[in-house]
Amino acid sequence: DHSDDHSDDGSDDDSDDHSDDGSDDGSDDGNQCIIDSNYDYSGYDISYDDVSGSDDCCDGCYATQGCAAWTFSSDQWGDVRCYYKSSKAGRTYSQGMTSGYLPNNDLIRNTTSMLRGAAKVA
């Protein structure tokens, strides 16, 4: 059992290396968002998630069908959320807010997979 635990520790080290270069795992590889500091994307909400920090918003957007952008919100009541958006058209300056959006290639893929998913259901 101890040797198994030791090999698990080794795999944790590998996953750390893996997250640095991102070349081994396609799902981590593509999740890059363009960060838009001090901007809020108002409107166009699809859904939201309670998160631990703004770093979770990019992955959450990739996992949300039709998501093109997101805004991270932390309020005085302690709610920490990512709001997933179908568009960043409502972009407005807002000191202290953090938003982000998917690069064009990934946006097309996310939207296409949404359409493909709808076709499968139909």
Side-chain angles (χ1 to χ4, degrees), residues 73-117:
S73 173
S74 176
D75 65 26
Q76 66 265 35
W77 298 284
D79 291 327
V80 182
R81 291 181 172 157
C82 296
Y83 290 88
Y84 304 119
K85 316 280 185 169
S86 60
S87 171
K88 62 185 179 90
R91 183 179 187 259
T92 53
Y93 181 80
S94 183
Q95 181 67 39
M97 296 291 282
T98 302
S99 295
Y101 57 95
L102 276 57
N104 285 340
N105 290 346
D106 292 328
L107 174 58
I108 292 164
R109 187 170 61 218
N110 207 24
T111 308
T112 303
S113 68
M114 179 185 73
L115 296 174
R116 211 180 296 127

Side-chain angles (χ1 to χ4, degrees), residues 6-42:
H6 181 69
S7 68
D8 286 346
D9 290 343
S11 68
D12 286 346
D13 291 341
D14 290 342
S15 68
D16 288 344
D17 293 340
H18 163 85
S19 64
D20 288 342
D21 61 19
S23 58
D24 297 329
D25 182 350
S27 65
D28 288 343
D29 206 18
N31 290 1
Q32 300 294 322
C33 288
I34 294 137
I35 304 302
D36 204 0
S37 296
N38 296 315
Y39 280 88
D40 178 18
Y41 300 156
S42 53

Side-chain angles (χ1 to χ4, degrees), residues 26-64:
S27 65
D28 288 343
D29 206 18
N31 290 1
Q32 300 294 322
C33 288
I34 294 137
I35 304 302
D36 204 0
S37 296
N38 296 315
Y39 280 88
D40 178 18
Y41 300 156
S42 53
Y44 303 95
D45 288 23
I46 298 171
S47 63
Y48 70 85
D49 275 337
D50 294 314
V51 295
S52 57
S54 61
D55 291 345
D56 297 332
C57 296
C58 184
D59 287 336
C61 188
Y62 273 88
T64 303

